Amino acid sequence: MALAPAQASDFSEPWKNTDRALVIDAYEYNPIDWTELSTDKRIVGFINKASDGMPPAYFCFGDETATRLCKALWKRHAVAQELFQTRKVVAKALGLKWGAYHLARPGNPVGQANNFINFAKPGPDDLLALDIEEDDPTKWMSLEDAEEFVRHVHRRIGRFPVLYTNGKTAKHIADNKYKYRLLSRLPLWYARYKPDIGVHFPMGNWQGYALWQFSAKANCGRFRCPYRVAGTPNDIDVNVAPMDAAALRAQWPFGGLIDAQPDYLASIPLPLSRAAGLAGNVTLTYATVAPPPSFTEMVAMFSAGWAKFRGSLQMPAVGTALRLPRRIADYLGWLRKEKPSASAVEAVPTDPVSTASTELDRTPR
């Protein structure tokens, strides 16, 4: 999929532009007044938390405390799933686009992907997202496991999830895009609670975001908040899209991979006029360079070079009489008697691997 590059204004308080669509994301403990929420016509989508790591153990066993905890986890899991499906019905009835995210935990990426799909039961127009809070494999899913998670989701439903993560993790993925070939090409749901992200956004890999989570509990309180949504608490997460409502509905649910971007020489930007630079909010364009060769290409290159070097060491063939090594005296005598012409030398085929024959020369002398 080809996401349109974001404009400079989309990196600095774009929610103040009334043309930009908004999306809410919530978890099971966020109360929602759907009647009030529906009065905000800028709200286009609603993304709800689905699964969290692996599902609870199917059988409860152990002492009384362990059994009580197991049953409590199952109750919470069942209530969360029921609430998820109820909100899905209500949101779609109000004309909102629907989405689900999985909170990624350490270990078993395939099992977590199966839990996500079984929990969310996604329809063809439901957005899916993988939530990686931080690049800390002791607390959250490792990036290597996240690659396998994404791969397994695609195996099961034929499309890819959106990647939700913060600025630091997004930059690490962008800097190592040849290692994380799937994560670096997922549409980016960017989490950063600052009014301006132009200097932080990883433009070398992503040319823009699919969604930017700009408001949350971290920067929205009783007295000050970037954007308040009617019918929701202060800690609700609010996201802005770099497009209007019609464009967001058309691109929803972002189920493909973004186009691979060329590498850039960050130290050699293309010329920028002084007037444009003083105006601010400009997008730098860099001279493109060829991507580094893959391992297979490097092996082929070295093999071709070695073959050429080895070929330069081969002696020209001078006829069948020279197929076996000869004593120097025999060779000189033969050379004086039967010196081959240049055309005869060129006409004799040569073995590209070896100049010596493996058969005995029985030519009478």
Side-chain angles (χ1 to χ4, degrees), residues 21 45 57-58 84 97 104 121 127 129 165 196 201 238 256 259 263 270 276 279 285 287 325 337-338 343 346 351 365:
Y58 190 76
F84 177 90
K97 290 293 186 179
K121 298 178 176 60
L127 180 145
T165 195
D196 192 300
F201 193 81
V238 189
D259 293 339
D263 286 341
L270 295 180
T285 304
K337 184 179 180 181
E338 302 180 27
S343 60
E346 295 176 357
D351 185 349
R365 291 170 174 77

Side-chain angles (χ1 to χ4, degrees), residues 130 222 235 251:
L130 174 62
R222 179 181 176 183
D235 64 347
Q251 295 199 32

Side-chain angles (χ1 to χ4, degrees), residues 61-77:
F61 55 89
D63 58 23
E64 182 180 355
T65 302
T67 302
R68 188 183 299 116
L69 176 60
C70 175
K71 290 182 177 179
L73 290 175
W74 257 115
K75 182 178 180 180
R76 177 183 176 182
H77 179 78

Side-chain angles (χ1 to χ4, degrees), residues 45-239:
F46 194 101
I47 305 174
N48 203 88
K49 178 187 173 185
S51 48
D52 185 335
M54 293 291 292
Y58 190 76
F59 294 104
C60 294
F61 55 89
D63 58 23
E64 182 180 355
T65 302
T67 302
R68 188 183 299 116
L69 176 60
C70 175
K71 290 182 177 179
L73 290 175
W74 257 115
K75 182 178 180 180
R76 177 183 176 182
H77 179 78
V79 170
Q81 194 168 31
E82 186 68 24
L83 178 62
F84 177 90
Q85 296 299 336
T86 301
R87 284 181 172 179
K88 181 177 181 179
V89 172
V90 175
K92 290 193 172 186
L94 293 175
L96 298 177
K97 290 293 186 179
W98 180 256
Y101 71 88
H102 173 81
L103 186 57
R105 301 289 186 177
N108 199 350
V110 172
Q112 292 194 53
N114 287 329
N115 182 34
F116 180 36
I117 296 172
N118 296 339
F119 189 109
K121 298 178 176 60
D125 194 39
D126 295 345
L127 180 145
L128 299 176
L130 174 62
D131 180 353
I132 300 179
E133 291 291 322
E134 295 178 9
D135 184 18
D136 184 353
T138 64
K139 297 180 180 180
W140 313 102
M141 180 181 287
S142 69
L143 298 182
E144 290 75 16
D145 281 354
E147 288 264 310
E148 184 56 33
F149 178 100
V150 170
R151 192 174 293 111
H152 191 68
V153 169
H154 185 265
R155 289 191 199 107
R156 284 199 56 179
I157 65 174
R159 54 192 175 93
F160 296 96
V162 171
L163 174 64
Y164 170 92
T165 195
N166 57 28
K168 181 180 179 181
T169 306
K171 184 178 185 305
H172 177 72
I173 293 172
D175 292 342
N176 297 274
K177 61 183 178 180
Y178 294 105
K179 180 178 180 180
Y180 306 116
R181 293 180 180 270
L182 279 179
L183 296 181
S184 63
R185 293 190 59 193
L186 296 179
L188 182 61
W189 181 1
Y190 192 72
R192 192 174 183 88
Y193 312 114
K194 300 292 183 180
D196 192 300
I197 60 172
V199 298
H200 302 286
F201 193 81
M203 286 293 290
N205 186 75
W206 287 283
Q207 297 306 294
Y209 51 83
L211 296 171
W212 170 13
Q213 188 182 85
F214 67 91
S215 181
K217 185 178 180 179
N219 65 338
C220 181
R222 179 181 176 183
F223 300 104
R224 185 176 182 181
C225 189
Y227 190 92
R228 297 189 188 276
V229 179
T232 65
N234 291 334
D235 64 347
I236 197 73
D237 296 337
V238 189
N239 309 268

Side-chain angles (χ1 to χ4, degrees), residues 209-353:
Y209 51 83
L211 296 171
W212 170 13
Q213 188 182 85
F214 67 91
S215 181
K217 185 178 180 179
N219 65 338
C220 181
R222 179 181 176 183
F223 300 104
R224 185 176 182 181
C225 189
Y227 190 92
R228 297 189 188 276
V229 179
T232 65
N234 291 334
D235 64 347
I236 197 73
D237 296 337
V238 189
N239 309 268
V240 64
M243 61 194 80
D244 59 24
L248 181 58
R249 290 191 179 96
Q251 295 199 32
W252 198 277
F254 301 103
L257 298 176
I258 64 172
D259 293 339
Q261 300 297 325
D263 286 341
Y264 292 90
L265 290 174
S267 59
I268 311 179
L270 295 180
L272 182 69
S273 68
R274 183 172 183 274
L278 292 175
N281 290 332
V282 296
T283 301
L284 294 180
T285 304
Y286 298 92
T288 59
V289 296
S294 65
F295 179 76
T296 303
E297 293 171 336
M298 291 180 66
V299 170
M301 178 179 64
F302 283 120
S303 298
W306 169 247
K308 184 176 180 181
F309 173 74
R310 185 176 57 186
S312 67
L313 298 178
Q314 293 180 1
M315 295 179 62
V318 293
T320 57
L322 287 182
R323 288 188 182 273
L324 284 178
R326 297 172 177 272
R327 291 197 304 262
I328 296 178
D330 293 339
Y331 171 71
L332 293 176
W334 172 87
L335 187 63
R336 294 191 188 96
K337 184 179 180 181
E338 302 180 27
K339 185 176 181 180
S341 62
S343 60
V345 172
E346 295 176 357
V348 177
T350 60
D351 185 349
V353 177

